[in-house]
Amino acid sequence: VENVTFAYDGELDVLRGVCILGMVLIHLIYDLQTFFSLPFLTNSELFSLIKQWGGVLFLLISGICVTLGSHPVRRGLIVFACGLLCSAVTAGMYVLNMADKSIIIYFGVLHCLGVCMLLWPLCRRLPTGAIGILGLILVGVGLWFDSVSVETPYLVPLGLTFRGFVSSDYFPLLPNLGFFLLGAFLGRTFYRNKESRIPGVNAGNPLVRFLGWCGRQSLFIYLLHQPILTGF
């Protein structure tokens, strides 16, 4: 394959593609357990690793990309609207007795990413160091929220849940907004000149091109993969 120069946005697309395929793998394993009672799959170390850190890596990459792109408010509104669509579909499945209440998405990854993008214009004027420090503080607060329980459901988007709360996809703003801002810190630090950090990679490699395509189509893959997997 011809050796093609690897652009900075291309490598970020590849990383995003790896993350979205990891999420598809997690949901495939979940479906296999649900339909065929294969609990050993969800007990594997690979499942735990991807489930725990895949979302964090995706948020970091999204934070990097927001410092390089444009129109964060418009993109944030689109992503958040897609999150609302997922909430409506899962709520409908519960109402129609197609699944139990745990299927409902109250504040999933698309809600979280959409709000993070909408909040970015309020943070972009901060110095790079301040963004990194704010990100660390929000991560710390969010991790502390894991041990706190409240009596109201209205604080669920922030990361404060009530007893018995369940959701098939839950990405609260805290600590995830912190990871997003840490990604923005990395973007301003390592990509301030918009140059590739791994220029030696062959962008023409078929696997690299496929992962890059997945990264560019990550929103559509997220919206369509679960109906396809479930139908299969």
Side-chain angles (χ1 to χ4, degrees), residues 79-80 83-84 86-87 105-116:
V79 172
F80 187 76
L84 293 178
C86 292
S87 294
I105 298 175
Y106 296 96
F107 200 83
V109 63
L110 295 184
H111 301 80
C112 181
L113 280 175
V115 174
C116 287

Side-chain angles (χ1 to χ4, degrees), residues 200-229:
V201 174
N202 180 9
N205 182 282
L207 177 59
V208 172
R209 293 175 63 184
F210 171 71
L211 291 174
W213 179 85
C214 290
R216 291 188 295 274
Q217 307 301 324
S218 57
L219 179 60
F220 295 104
I221 292 174
Y222 180 88
L223 292 174
L224 297 176
H225 80 282
Q226 191 63 299
I228 293 173
L229 288 179

Side-chain angles (χ1 to χ4, degrees), residues 29-220:
I29 292 175
Y30 177 83
D31 290 343
L32 290 174
Q33 178 190 3
T34 301
F35 291 111
F36 303 108
S37 300
L38 302 175
F40 68 90
L41 291 174
T42 55
N43 293 332
S44 68
E45 293 184 1
L46 178 62
F47 180 87
S48 300
L49 179 66
I50 297 176
K51 184 177 181 180
Q52 182 175 1
W53 295 107
V56 172
L57 181 57
F58 194 84
L59 285 158
L60 288 172
I61 295 171
S62 298
I64 293 173
C65 291
V66 79
T67 66
L68 302 172
S70 57
H71 307 297
V73 173
R74 185 182 68 184
R75 294 185 180 186
L77 289 173
I78 292 173
V79 172
F80 187 76
C82 290
L84 293 178
L85 175 63
C86 292
S87 294
V89 170
T90 53
M93 293 174 64
Y94 169 67
V95 171
L96 296 174
N97 292 321
M98 299 174 63
D100 60 30
K101 197 172 184 178
S102 66
I103 195 67
I104 300 177
I105 298 175
Y106 296 96
F107 200 83
V109 63
L110 295 184
H111 301 80
C112 181
L113 280 175
V115 174
C116 287
M117 292 177 187
L118 291 172
L119 292 176
W120 172 244
L122 300 178
C123 302
R124 70 193 316 168
R125 296 181 181 276
L126 294 174
T128 300
I131 290 177
I133 293 173
L134 179 59
L136 289 174
I137 292 173
L138 295 180
V139 169
V141 173
L143 295 177
W144 173 67
F145 277 180
D146 285 340
S147 62
V148 178
S149 179
V150 297
E151 300 298 328
T152 174
Y154 299 109
L155 297 178
V156 164
L158 286 178
L160 290 168
T161 58
F162 52 89
R163 185 175 300 175
F165 171 78
V166 290
S167 178
S168 60
D169 182 28
Y170 183 48
F171 276 75
L173 280 176
L174 300 179
N176 292 306
L177 176 57
F179 291 125
F180 182 86
L181 291 179
L182 288 176
F185 169 80
L186 294 176
R188 283 189 171 182
T189 302
F190 295 103
Y191 288 93
R192 60 181 179 271
N193 296 323
K194 295 187 176 182
E195 297 177 351
S196 173
R197 308 308 300 181
I198 46 175
V201 174
N202 180 9
N205 182 282
L207 177 59
V208 172
R209 293 175 63 184
F210 171 71
L211 291 174
W213 179 85
C214 290
R216 291 188 295 274
Q217 307 301 324
S218 57
L219 179 60
F220 295 104

Side-chain angles (χ1 to χ4, degrees), residues 1-6 199-205:
V1 178
E2 181 182 357
N3 194 347
V4 184
T5 303
F6 208 58
V201 174
N202 180 9
N205 182 282

